[in-house]
């Protein structure tokens, strides 16, 4: 029983490390996108945002992608593009 618990704790620690790595990657990408948006002219920003919004509108949830997951993605994109990091 102790071995089972130890194995589960090791797996949990590995998953936590993977999760931290993904969070760091997302934050890095957010910083990069924010920096790029700030260097763009307003008209270029709007064109980019409109293009992304159009692509998202065309990409409807399928059986392999849950509707809730698609909604979360749209919310995050809206937050990132319309209200970038300060």
């Amino acid at each position: 029983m102790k071995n089972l618990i130890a194995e589960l704790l090791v797996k949990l620690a590995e998953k936590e490390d993977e999760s931290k790595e993904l969070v760091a990657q997302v934050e890095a990408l957010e910083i990069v996108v924010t920096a790029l948006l700030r260097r763009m002219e307003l008209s270029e920003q709007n064109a980019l945002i409109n293009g992304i919004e159009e692509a998202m509108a065309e990409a409807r949830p399928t059986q392999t992608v849950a509707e809730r997951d698609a909604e979360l993605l749209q919310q995050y994109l809206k937050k990132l593009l319309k209200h970038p990091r300060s």
Side-chain angles (χ1 to χ4, degrees):
M1 186 66 148
K2 289 182 182 179
N3 287 341
L4 177 62
I5 292 172
E7 286 180 37
L8 289 173
L9 289 174
V10 168
K11 286 185 180 185
L12 181 61
E14 290 171 353
K15 293 293 181 186
E16 187 175 334
D17 286 344
E18 291 172 8
S19 177
K20 287 179 182 178
E21 185 177 329
L22 287 174
V23 168
Q25 289 175 1
V26 168
E27 288 178 352
L29 288 171
E30 186 176 336
I31 291 167
V32 169
V33 168
T34 299
L36 290 172
L37 284 172
R38 288 184 177 162
R39 291 187 166 270
M40 295 174 79
E41 294 291 329
L42 186 58
S43 61
E44 293 173 321
Q45 286 181 18
N46 289 332
L48 176 65
I49 291 168
N50 289 336
I52 292 170
E53 288 174 345
E54 288 172 8
M56 288 299 297
E58 291 174 10
R60 295 286 173 218
T62 64
Q63 292 178 347
T64 58
V65 178
E67 187 171 334
R68 178 68 182 138
D69 291 345
E71 289 174 7
L72 285 172
L73 179 60
Q74 286 180 330
Q75 289 172 2
Y76 187 76
L77 279 171
K78 181 177 179 181
K79 176 185 169 191
L80 179 63
L81 296 173
K82 304 254 177 163
H83 308 286
R85 294 181 110 167
S86 302

